[in-house]
Amino acid sequence: MDSGTRTIDLNRYLLLNDHQPYSIEIDSKHEVKSFYVFFTPGYVDHAVTDMIGSEDWLLDNPFYSSSHVELIDKTYLERRYRVP
C-alpha cells in the first residue's frame, strides 16, 4: 500500500495484506468503537482454494492450498447482502 492517509467511516473498511505495516490515528470529537480482524497465515489462501475448487477435486486434495494470495490494499465500501 502506498503511504498516505485512508479515511474509514461507518460504511467503509480497510483491507491489508499479511505483514503490511500500518498505524492508526483516530481523530473524532465523539467516542469511536472499532475492531480488527487478523487471519492466521494461509487462511485466505485456503479460502480461495475452497472457492475455486470443485467438490470432487477438494475431496481428492484436502491439504492443497493455492499460491500466496495478495489482496488489493485499499478501503472498500461495505456491501450488505440479504439472505433469503
Side-chain angles (χ1 to χ4, degrees):
M1 185 167 108
D2 59 350
S3 60
T5 301
R6 302 290 189 269
T7 301
I8 309 298
D9 58 28
L10 291 174
N11 299 314
R12 296 186 184 283
Y13 60 94
L14 176 63
L15 183 62
L16 298 172
N17 284 296
D18 191 26
H19 302 293
Q20 179 70 42
Y22 67 94
S23 64
I24 298 170
E25 180 180 328
I26 298 174
D27 183 17
S28 176
K29 295 177 183 177
H30 307 286
E31 180 179 341
V32 174
K33 294 182 181 180
S34 64
F35 71 94
Y36 311 91
V37 178
F38 296 92
F39 299 113
T40 58
Y43 179 84
V44 173
D45 303 333
H46 288 289
V48 168
T49 300
D50 291 347
M51 288 179 3
I52 63 175
S54 69
E55 290 179 4
D56 289 336
W57 188 88
L58 291 170
L59 288 170
D60 291 338
N61 301 280
F63 301 107
Y64 179 84
S65 179
S66 62
S67 305
H68 181 69
V69 175
E70 286 287 323
L71 304 171
I72 299 173
D73 295 329
K74 70 174 200 170
T75 56
Y76 290 85
L77 186 59
E78 175 188 18
R79 293 184 180 173
R80 296 184 182 206
Y81 296 99
R82 297 173 90 184
V83 178

